[in-house]
Structures are given as structure tokens and as C-alpha cells.
Amino acid sequence: MPSRETRSDFLRLRTLILLRWAAIAGQIIAIVMAWTWYDIQLPLGLCYLVVGASVIANLVSASVFPQNTRLTERQVFLTLLFDLAQLAALLFLTGGLTNPFALLILAPVTISATALEGRATLVLGGMAISFVTILALFSLPMTLHDGSTFAVPQLFGFGFWLSIVIGIVFLGIYAHRVAGEIHSMQDALLATQMALAREQKLTDLGGVVAAAAHELGTPLATIKLVSSELMDELDDEPDLHADAQLIRDQADRCRDILRSMGRIGKDDKHLRQAPLSTVIREAAEPHVNRGKQVHFDLLPPEGDAAREPIILRQPEVIHGLRNLIQNAVDFAQHQVWVEGEWGRDQVLIRIVDDGAGYPSHVIGRIGDPFMRSRKAPAQRPEYEGMGLGLFIAKTLLERTGAELTFANGTVSPPTTENQVERCGAIVEVIWPMARIEAPRGALGENDLNT
């Protein structure tokens, strides 16, 4: 899980000011009602002094800082600590734990658990438990209208103290865990969106380069033709002949560079779809020369149509498969197998490596954000990731209608000349044919004139 040190930067000062004004209003109403309606004798001067401290703190905060100020971790912690101390002081003056509003001491701890890191919440929770314990032992009693002191049975007082302490611990842990899951998912989804945007930009860039290569083809061909004619005319002048040859060679080099940069293709509707094998090889291309053998197999089921399906060449599919193949290559010992199968109703891609596989205790959580699902092998001790690769792959592929399964085991290979046991991590990606197959028929006009 990522550090939460900057997470409180999302908490605005305006939010805490509004919450404090609500608390101040509630405290004043409670004091007035207790004094006038129930005729409870309270030290009004001290009570209003404690409430006034909150009023002054709010006015100072609102006047010194803009309301849209984003608070740092330290500022949020100090603000909540002040609110906790102010509430404890007011409870001390109004009966301690015999005051039913003592339950509100849970509020600062809960806010801390959702906005701050665990250490700050632990300190604040410890302070809250300390205040509650002090209030259970020492406080100014509430005096009723007849002069009697309001008190509760000792067993009830102990139970109320224990319930508040348990509430602080339970709500703190619960809120902290839930907030952590929410923030982790938000961070991971942001990383997924960035990865998809990057893939889309690369595809768009390929289209721009391909269009440029097409437009520059005629000028480069003209330069090459003219330079070749100059070479024929300058056979008796070696220096000028060499210059003309250099011009022709550089024109060829420009053509080759543009061709290689634009191999993804222009925005041609033909290139928005491709055979299954082409998409698989394009996704695996960056990882086929990384010291591991990557095998590609197409396995049409027996009795089904033998024609290889033409599928949609979506950035989500390519980037998702690329992440899965990268993970397999990272942890394979020597070999990785990428298989493509299809039938009348579905398309399946299976990625298998000969590594150690997924640890058994995390295999049910594979695909969760910020979870490293596999340990680095001995030959790659420097490997360190954020645990987002499989999450991004899973999220992107599921957006296209795919269903992913992760497993360990042995997969029998197809009948080939070299029978090699395929064991280790297994990832299967299955699409309904209707979700992945490219539409048949006329493609329409291209977006670029070519």
C-alpha cells in the first residue's frame, strides 16, 4: 500500500471549520438546554470559556488561512488533537462519563483514521483513551435542581467506559482499513487510466508518423532520383560524386526511420483489427528478446472452424496482455508460452511460464492493487514493483469483456516435436466471441486520406 503521508492534503481547512462550527452549535445548545430545561447546575463561565476557545480557533483559522487551504498531515493531526482536548475539557466540567455526549469523543479518532496515516491515528486514539479514563475517574459532577448529585451505578459507569474504549479501537481500525482500501483503489485506477492514456497516445503517435511517412514519400523519392542522376553525371568528379551519394543515402535513411517509427500504422480502419496471432505478437514484442524463450502457439479446437478470428486491436487488449506477458517473462526461469485458442463462442489466451508460480497464500488476491503477488527470483534480486502490473492488466482486459483466472500447475503442451513440461504460473484470458471479434463487412472510409 502506498504511503499515506500526502493523503491528508485532500482534506480542506473549510471542511474542518464547518465541522467545528457544527460542534460548537451543538455544545451551546446542550449547555443551554441542560441549564434552562433540566435545571442542571453547571459552571457556565468555565463551560462557555472552553466553547469560546473553539470559537476563537475557528475565527483565527478562517482569517489567517484561505478556506480552500489543503491541510498537511501535521496540521490535521494538531487540529483534531485540539478538538479532542476541547471536548474532553467540556466533558470534565459537565459530569464526565455520566454525560451521554461523551460518546462524541469517537469523532476525532474516526476522522483521523480516514484522513491520516496509522501512526497519527494510533497517537490520537491513545490520547482519546487516556482522556476517557481520566474522565471516568475525575470530573465535576452534575448537580440537579434539588441540590443532589447525578450519578450512575458503578457497573454502568465501567460498562460505558469500556464501550467507549472498544469503540475507539474498533472504529479506528475499521475506518482506517476501509479508507486505505478506497484510497488504494483510487490510486490504482488512476495508474490504470494513465497507462491506458499512454498506450492510446503511442497508437495516435504511430498514426501521425505513418501519415507523415506517407506524405514525405514523394519528396524523398524525388531527392533519391535526382541524387542518383547527379551521381551518373559526376563520375569524373569524385568529391561531388561522394556528396551526391551521401544525399541519396541520407534520403534512404529518412525513409527507413519514418517506416520503422510508423509501423503501428496510420489511422486506417484496417489496422483497428488484426488476426489473433498478430495482436498476441504485438503485445509480446517488447519482451521477446529479454533472455527468455517466448513460444507462440495457436490452438483451434478440433471440429471447430479453423479460420483464425480477426479481433479488435484495442489499446486495452494490447496493454493488458503486454503486462501479463511481462510478468511471466520477469519470473520465468527459461521459457514462456503464449497460446491462443478459439471456438465458435469464445477466444482464449493462455500465458504460462516455468517459474515458481504464485505463492499459495496470495493466489486468491491476485489482481488487487499494490499487492506484489510473486517474489523476485534469485537471478533478479533487484526486482521491485508497486504491485500494479497485474491490477492494470486485469482492469483493462475486464473493460473489454474478458474474464481472467490465475492458477498454478502443469499444463500439457500441444503435440509438438519438443515436449516440454509447462509448469508455474498460469493466466487465462477468455472473451466471448461477440465482444472481441471485429465486425465483418465494409470498413468504411479511412479518417486520413492515403
Side-chain angles (χ1 to χ4, degrees):
M1 185 178 297
S3 174
R4 303 181 68 185
E5 293 178 356
T6 61
R7 192 161 293 168
S8 60
D9 290 342
F10 291 97
L11 190 60
R12 293 186 303 171
L13 176 63
R14 174 184 173 85
T15 301
L16 292 183
I17 288 178
L18 291 177
L19 290 175
R20 187 178 287 165
W21 281 127
I24 290 171
Q27 291 170 359
I28 293 176
I29 292 174
I31 293 172
V32 172
M33 291 293 294
W35 179 267
T36 59
W37 188 267
Y38 295 101
D39 199 20
I40 297 176
Q41 304 302 310
L42 298 173
L44 290 181
L46 293 177
C47 290
Y48 286 131
L49 180 63
V50 173
V51 175
S54 286
V55 174
I56 294 173
N58 251 13
L59 294 176
V60 171
S61 299
S63 60
V64 173
F65 302 100
Q67 290 190 358
N68 60 351
T69 300
R70 302 287 179 175
L71 299 178
T72 64
E73 180 94 9
R74 181 182 178 86
Q75 291 172 333
V76 174
F77 174 77
L78 293 177
T79 301
L80 294 177
L81 184 59
F82 172 83
D83 292 337
L84 182 65
Q86 187 266 352
L87 179 59
L90 190 59
L91 290 174
F92 176 82
L93 298 173
T94 57
L97 293 190
T98 60
N99 188 333
F101 291 103
L103 192 65
L104 293 177
I105 208 165
L106 295 172
V109 180
T110 304
I111 295 175
S112 173
T114 58
L116 305 181
E117 62 178 359
R119 183 172 56 183
T121 302
L122 185 63
V123 173
L124 204 66
M127 294 293 296
I129 294 175
S130 300
F131 286 144
V132 170
T133 304
I134 294 173
L135 291 173
L137 299 175
F138 310 100
S139 63
L140 297 180
M142 287 190 295
T143 304
L144 303 180
H145 66 281
D146 58 358
S148 62
T149 300
F150 178 76
V152 297
Q154 185 177 2
L155 181 61
F156 180 83
F158 173 76
F160 193 38
W161 169 84
L162 184 61
S163 65
I164 293 179
V165 171
I166 293 176
I168 290 172
V169 175
F170 175 76
L171 287 179
I173 296 176
Y174 185 84
H176 183 76
R177 186 66 181 268
V178 171
E181 293 285 344
I182 293 173
H183 287 299
S184 294
M185 186 62 66
Q186 290 175 344
D187 294 341
L189 289 175
L190 177 60
T192 303
Q193 293 171 355
M194 293 174 63
L196 181 59
R198 177 179 178 275
E199 189 69 28
Q200 187 63 55
K201 286 181 179 180
L202 290 176
T203 301
D204 295 341
L205 180 61
V208 172
V209 173
H214 176 79
E215 296 297 331
L216 292 174
T218 300
L220 290 175
T222 303
I223 293 173
K224 182 178 179 181
L225 177 62
V226 173
S227 60
S228 298
E229 293 177 351
L230 287 175
M231 289 174 60
D232 295 337
E233 298 291 335
L234 298 173
D235 286 336
D236 54 346
E237 298 186 35
D239 293 339
L240 296 178
H241 183 276
D243 292 340
Q245 184 175 1
L246 178 62
I247 293 174
R248 187 187 67 176
D249 294 342
Q250 293 303 310
D252 288 337
R253 184 183 178 190
C254 290
R255 180 199 59 195
D256 295 338
I257 291 174
L258 289 172
R259 182 179 299 169
S260 63
M261 291 176 62
R263 69 180 184 276
I264 296 178
K266 54 185 178 297
D267 191 14
D268 191 327
K269 294 184 182 296
H270 284 282
L271 295 175
R272 296 180 184 176
Q273 58 189 40
L276 176 63
S277 58
T278 301
V279 174
I280 293 175
R281 291 180 181 276
E282 181 178 349
E285 182 181 5
H287 307 293
V288 295
N289 295 316
R290 292 180 48 200
K292 311 291 176 63
Q293 294 183 5
V294 181
H295 307 275
F296 299 93
D297 296 311
L298 292 180
L299 310 171
E302 295 182 4
D304 264 311
R307 185 181 68 85
E308 180 180 355
I310 305 298
I311 66 174
L312 296 172
R313 187 183 164 278
Q314 304 175 70
E316 294 94 335
V317 173
I318 295 174
H319 193 82
L321 292 177
R322 184 168 295 165
N323 276 8
L324 295 178
I325 295 171
Q326 177 184 1
N327 190 71
V329 172
D330 284 341
F331 295 96
Q333 294 184 6
H334 304 290
Q335 301 185 77
V336 174
W337 295 268
V338 183
E339 301 174 355
E341 299 183 12
W342 66 88
R344 290 187 175 89
D345 301 323
Q346 69 179 26
V347 173
L348 180 147
I349 295 177
R350 181 185 297 115
I351 302 169
V352 187
D353 63 67
D354 61 351
Y358 301 110
S360 58
H361 65 282
V362 300
I363 196 167
R365 296 176 53 208
I366 294 175
D368 288 353
F370 302 104
M371 186 195 72
R372 298 183 180 93
S373 58
R374 302 175 72 176
K375 294 182 179 179
Q379 64 269 28
R380 296 194 68 221
E382 76 284 358
Y383 182 85
E384 181 178 3
M386 294 180 63
L388 281 177
L390 289 180
F391 172 80
I392 291 175
K394 186 172 183 290
T395 302
L396 292 179
L397 292 172
E398 286 178 345
R399 288 178 56 176
T400 66
E403 180 180 348
L404 281 74
T405 57
F406 302 88
N408 289 326
T410 302
V411 178
S412 299
T415 303
T416 59
E417 296 181 359
N418 298 321
Q419 294 290 327
V420 181
E421 186 180 47
R422 305 181 184 184
C423 60
I426 305 170
V427 184
E428 288 189 347
V429 188
I430 302 176
W431 287 273
M433 183 64 76
R435 292 295 301 273
I436 192 66
E437 187 176 26
R440 301 180 181 181
L443 298 175
E445 295 183 359
N446 290 329
D447 295 332
L448 296 175
N449 296 324
T450 58

